[in-house]
Amino acid sequence: MTRSPLAAHLDACLFNGAPAVAFVLRATGNPAYARSLHILDTHISRLTRHRLDAAHQRIDDGLPARLREFDLINGLTGIGTYLLHTGHDALLHDVLSYLVRLVCEPITFDGDQLPAWWTSNEPADRPCPRWPGGHANLSIAHGVTGPLALLATAKISGITVPGHTEAIEQTCRVLDRWQLGTHTTPWWPGTISLHEWRSGTTSQTGPQRPSWCYGTPGITRAQQLAGIAHGDHQRQRSAENALASCITDQQQLDQLDGASLCHGWAGLVQTVRRAADDAGPGSELATLLPRLHNDFQQHLRNHRPPAGDGLLEGATGVALALYSATEPAFHWDACLLLAAPDRTTEHERNGMTTTETQPEDLRNRMVDHIVENSQALSAEVERVLRTVPRHPFVPDASIEDAYANRAITIKPGPPGGRPASCISVPTVVAMMLNQLDAHPGQRVLEIGAGTGWNAALLAELVGETGHVSTIDIHTDVTEHAQRALAATGYDRVHVITGDGALGDPENSPFDRIIVTVGPWDLPPAWFDQLAPGGRLVVPLTWRGQTRSVAFVNDNGVLRATDSQLCGFIPMIGDGQNGEQKGEIADDVLLCWDPDQSVDLDALQGVLDTPASTVWSGTSIVAMESTDLIWPLVTAVEPGTVRFCAGNDAVEAGLARPAFRYSSVALADGESLAYMTLKNPEPDAQDKRWELGAIGHGPVGVQLAERLCTAIRAWDEDRTAQPTITAYRANTPDGALSDGQVIDKQFIRLVISC
């Protein structure tokens, strides 16, 4: 493997010397390397201790760092990444504790209070007169985003040290402070000079090339991992949206001039691939990935491949990125802090499974993460999550992936489209089971069998005296679910291949019905088969947003007790394709419901008319959720629609929505208004974004004023839930409660504040 003696001196790192070779050997999973790994790990432990001692002494002395002390490529973050791969948790804890100190303890240098990761060198890590005072490095390869990604990945894996959460939050605050661009198209400078740090502004005028090492992709992936680690869904979604806007910005893509892993297309595609895995199968990133991969392949056809065989700059990295398209379970890119190291699979392959890496341990870590980031999770839901294994239901996934907080596809959809079936994100599963509130002895119907894992959880909740039916329209999906349920001892679950809209009349009535696909309407059979006082939990879509709604059957009327933002694979079948879509300008889409009188022809060109901007006086901090504004708007405005402006439209100045691809809006005849955001001043210490609305057309300003009124109402209680009631379609107006009525094929939905 090497032609010269292997370096194990103090400069050895993840990409050079003993740690590099050890990482590769462990990634192979070959038991023949066990003795070699033992020898290598002895040297790695020794050099890590020496490097940690030197790093702590440097902080004690109040001196600035060299990048190679702490970064991913040359420093302790890289060594910590290897240790996370090995299961050597005692030494890993010491590295993580150092990173906590690095992030949280300031130093005083030349009269300035600076973070302990500040370097007095230039980005090449050498003294340079062109960088007086040095710089702060925000990149994932050489800067503080690398420690953030490692701390987040370790926490996702269930490994934490004192101050861990504070360190993640502190690093995120730094990134929030230096977030530039707009709220919907953010970017970050790779480096910040001392002058820029003092002034709070940067001379960089736009995003740099979208590379893994220094660009938006690496920084957003680290923030996505931080969001997952904390259960901060808003940060996770904002990072995913930022990455999506980056890869659909042709000006940024045009800056890529090579195919390499570090600086070029391979690194970008691999970053998006892993981010899309965690965003979920129905996410925008998952939708954009096939096109991005095709662009990568087109680049390879049109240009010479990278010179040499290296990983970061050569042909090896390019080949591995291409390989991941067909073998995503191989986590070679854990060395880039893109994928979690496959600790368990590697040990199992070698016959070296330890207590710390057994499925039971990983399952408990998964549940610990859910409990830490969930509000009032019931003791029973926590119990069944700790009892029912997840990995037997996803046999093609690694053990690590099986217990990660992510969705896993089990049945792909059409090329470039959404999957036909998947196993849902564990935090979403826990949230919906909490809403369902199933008890022993009850009868439960699940619509959407998926892998069978959710049905097993339901069977555990209702016990031997209860009953669970699960139904799916895809034969191969139900066959997989039935095999997995039988293998795990839950063969008492009744698995049906059929149309979920018809339910299971032979075993009805049901005390509980849970829907794990995304319907647009509620079929009559679900009303018929839900017992009086029974509960229906369903991810229902209306006026452009999907929320998991917990309904209770009140004498044939479904009254909601709770709703939470979510996203699911759309249900197919009668009445389930209700949402209407149409373009009102290039790269601008409007989505509405059939009961609304939206005149698409009348709205053509509306964005070319003069804009009227109204500000609400209500502001949010970075990553703060605004999801409850949308349903509250639907409670008072019959013209609520979804406004979807793509990057081309935004960059052309045609629209300035609060959130690209999905902002709440109002439509009325030839007029339209959509929610927008005002960016904070660049030098503002407390960065806040003011919410407002932009109107176009004859009554655009009035629509904008009405949107702002709804925003102000949300501001009075940002946790207030709307009242949601579902009636059968034949219910007369006089029998409906007060509120906005949304007529669908099977139901009349009433929303009120």
Side-chain angles (χ1 to χ4, degrees):
M1 187 170 182
T2 59
R3 297 180 180 178
S4 58
L6 188 59
H9 51 63
L10 297 185
D11 287 334
C13 56
L14 182 59
F15 290 86
N16 179 39
V21 174
F23 182 93
V24 173
L25 294 183
R26 284 194 178 275
T28 68
N30 191 332
Y33 297 133
R35 183 172 180 276
S36 298
L37 282 168
H38 176 74
I39 295 170
L40 287 169
D41 284 350
T42 300
H43 289 289
I44 292 169
S45 295
R46 176 186 54 80
L47 71 89
T48 302
R49 293 290 181 198
H50 280 292
R51 295 190 68 166
L52 283 170
D53 289 345
H56 282 297
Q57 186 62 56
R58 191 269 307 169
I59 298 176
D60 289 342
D61 294 340
L63 298 174
R66 293 189 68 190
L67 298 178
R68 65 187 307 106
E69 174 194 301
F70 69 85
D71 74 8
L72 173 61
I73 299 296
N74 298 298
L76 284 162
T77 296
I79 293 176
T81 300
Y82 170 71
L83 295 173
L84 186 60
H85 196 80
T86 67
H88 295 328
D89 288 352
L91 189 54
L92 174 60
H93 276 71
D94 290 342
V95 172
L96 295 175
S97 296
Y98 152 73
L99 293 179
V100 168
R101 189 181 183 200
L102 180 83
V103 168
C104 295
E105 285 191 26
I107 61 170
T108 301
F109 180 63
D110 285 350
D112 289 292
Q113 190 174 75
L114 300 168
W117 46 271
W118 185 273
T119 177
S120 58
N121 294 339
E122 64 171 343
D125 211 16
R126 295 185 297 266
C128 179
R130 290 182 299 160
W131 289 81
H135 77 286
N137 196 302
L138 301 187
S139 73
I140 193 169
H142 294 292
V144 73
T145 300
L148 172 64
L150 177 57
L151 287 164
T153 302
K155 186 173 183 182
I156 292 169
S157 300
I159 301 170
T160 59
V161 296
H164 204 119
T165 297
E166 180 189 352
I168 292 176
E169 292 175 347
Q170 173 64 23
T171 311
C172 287
R173 284 194 291 269
V174 170
L175 294 176
D176 292 344
R177 173 69 185 84
W178 290 98
Q179 178 181 312
L180 302 174
T182 66
H183 193 75
T184 54
T185 314
W187 54 271
W188 292 261
T191 58
I192 304 164
S193 70
L194 183 58
H195 171 73
E196 291 170 333
W197 187 271
R198 288 168 173 166
S199 67
T201 60
T202 177
S203 59
Q204 189 173 326
T205 57
Q208 51 206 359
R209 64 183 172 189
S211 62
W212 162 79
C213 58
Y214 264 88
T216 295
I219 293 173
T220 53
R221 174 57 173 158
Q223 292 199 71
Q224 182 195 34
L225 291 169
I228 294 169
H230 272 359
D232 184 346
H233 304 306
Q234 185 64 25
R235 180 171 291 280
Q236 179 184 348
R237 287 195 297 270
S238 295
E240 291 161 1
N241 291 339
L243 182 55
S245 69
C246 169
I247 64 175
T248 53
D249 182 351
Q250 194 58 46
Q251 288 185 335
Q252 291 192 58
L253 294 179
D254 287 344
Q255 295 183 62
L256 290 174
D257 54 5
S260 74
L261 198 59
C262 191
H263 303 295
W265 278 97
L268 171 62
V269 170
Q270 193 64 21
T271 304
V272 174
R273 188 181 315 285
R274 294 309 188 191
D277 287 344
D278 284 333
S283 66
E284 184 184 0
L285 287 175
T287 301
L288 293 171
L289 179 59
R291 188 182 76 181
L292 190 71
H293 186 78
N294 289 338
D295 290 345
F296 174 30
Q297 293 178 310
Q298 186 63 45
H299 176 89
L300 292 174
R301 287 190 288 268
N302 294 343
H303 298 81
R304 297 178 62 183
D309 297 326
L311 175 67
L312 292 178
E313 301 287 353
T316 299
V318 173
L320 284 170
L322 292 171
Y323 181 69
S324 287
T326 56
E327 293 292 338
F330 180 33
H331 287 184
W332 63 270
D333 51 338
C335 64
L336 305 177
L337 284 172
L338 295 180
D342 193 357
R343 292 153 57 98
T344 305
T345 298
E346 179 267 323
H347 280 296
E348 287 181 339
R349 282 198 299 258
N350 290 351
M352 297 186 295
T353 302
T354 68
T355 301
E356 294 178 347
T357 56
Q358 288 180 356
E360 291 81 1
D361 184 64
L362 294 173
R363 182 163 71 252
N364 281 325
R365 291 178 184 174
M366 177 191 76
V367 181
D368 289 343
H369 170 76
I370 293 171
V371 171
E372 182 179 347
N373 296 286
S374 299
Q375 293 184 352
L377 187 71
S378 76
E380 270 301 284
V381 172
E382 180 181 347
R383 179 187 68 79
V384 301
L385 287 168
R386 294 193 189 278
T387 301
V388 181
R390 193 173 188 244
H391 66 280
F393 295 91
V394 282
D396 293 335
S398 69
I399 299 294
E400 190 76 19
D401 278 348
Y403 291 103
N405 191 41
R406 64 184 60 162
I408 301 173
T409 298
I410 61 166
K411 180 179 175 61
R418 293 182 173 185
S421 185
C422 69
I423 187 170
S424 297
V425 177
T427 48
V428 174
V429 171
M431 177 266 289
M432 293 182 72
L433 290 178
N434 219 42
Q435 288 181 310
L436 190 68
D437 192 28
H439 296 284
Q442 290 187 328
R443 304 179 65 78
V444 181
L445 171 63
E446 179 191 33
I447 311 296
T451 64
W453 182 55
N454 203 60
L457 293 167
L458 293 168
E460 191 69 34
L461 281 170
V462 301
E464 297 283 350
T465 59
H467 171 89
V468 176
S469 291
T470 184
I471 184 169
D472 202 287
I473 200 167
H474 299 290
T475 302
D476 51 348
V477 170
T478 53
E479 289 176 347
H480 169 92
Q482 196 150 28
R483 286 194 301 270
L485 286 163
T488 52
Y490 295 100
D491 50 356
R492 64 182 182 273
V493 172
H494 183 49
V495 182
I496 308 165
T497 302
D499 187 349
L502 302 179
D504 180 15
E506 292 182 3
N507 289 291
S508 66
F510 293 97
D511 303 291
R512 298 289 188 267
I513 299 177
I514 184 169
V515 185
T516 56
V517 290
W520 182 81
D521 205 348
L522 304 182
W526 298 356
F527 279 81
D528 297 340
Q529 295 173 28
L530 185 63
R535 186 177 290 247
L536 165 68
V537 173
V538 54
L540 187 63
T541 299
W542 74 94
R543 301 299 192 247
Q545 192 188 54
T546 301
R547 301 186 69 82
S548 178
V549 184
F551 287 109
V552 172
N553 183 1
D554 180 11
N555 294 317
V557 176
L558 300 181
R559 304 187 188 278
T561 59
D562 178 60
S563 74
Q564 301 292 330
L565 184 68
C566 66
F568 273 83
I569 296 170
M571 186 174 177
I572 58 177
D574 185 26
Q576 302 307 330
N577 58 347
E579 187 172 72
Q580 312 294 298
K581 300 178 182 179
E583 278 197 338
I584 60 171
D586 289 342
D587 202 31
V588 180
L589 197 69
L590 215 61
C591 302
W592 68 96
D593 292 335
D595 68 315
Q596 294 176 289
S597 57
V598 173
D599 188 342
L600 200 64
D601 291 334
L603 289 169
Q604 297 300 312
V606 66
L607 297 178
D608 295 324
T609 65
S612 301
T613 304
V614 179
W615 297 108
S616 68
T618 298
S619 63
I620 58 173
V621 297
M623 311 300 178
E624 183 177 357
S625 176
T626 61
D627 71 271
L628 278 169
I629 292 177
W630 203 312
L632 293 176
V633 173
T634 70
V636 294
E637 293 290 348
T640 306
V641 296
R642 183 165 83 246
F643 183 78
C644 312
N647 286 308
D648 290 345
V650 174
E651 298 304 326
L654 192 60
R656 293 185 287 114
F659 308 101
R660 298 186 188 197
Y661 301 103
S662 187
S663 284
V664 65
L666 300 179
D668 185 357
E670 299 177 350
S671 302
L672 177 76
Y674 58 86
M675 194 165 80
T676 190
L677 289 167
K678 182 193 294 183
N679 290 319
E681 295 298 325
D683 58 349
Q685 293 299 312
D686 180 22
K687 285 198 170 185
R688 302 189 69 87
W689 283 259
E690 185 177 0
L691 298 170
I694 296 176
H696 294 268
V699 295
V701 65
Q702 290 92 330
L703 294 178
E705 289 281 6
R706 282 155 51 182
L707 256 184
C708 285
T709 298
I711 292 169
R712 294 184 195 105
W714 166 78
D715 187 41
E716 293 177 4
D717 182 358
R718 298 189 178 191
T719 63
Q721 292 268 353
T723 299
I724 307 168
T725 312
Y727 300 82
R728 293 179 185 263
N730 59 359
T731 304
D733 290 349
L736 302 178
S737 55
D738 293 336
Q740 289 295 323
V741 180
I742 300 172
D743 283 313
K744 303 194 176 210
Q745 181 177 341
F746 301 129
I747 64 169
R748 306 192 75 185
L749 195 66
V750 180
I751 315 293
S752 62
C753 295

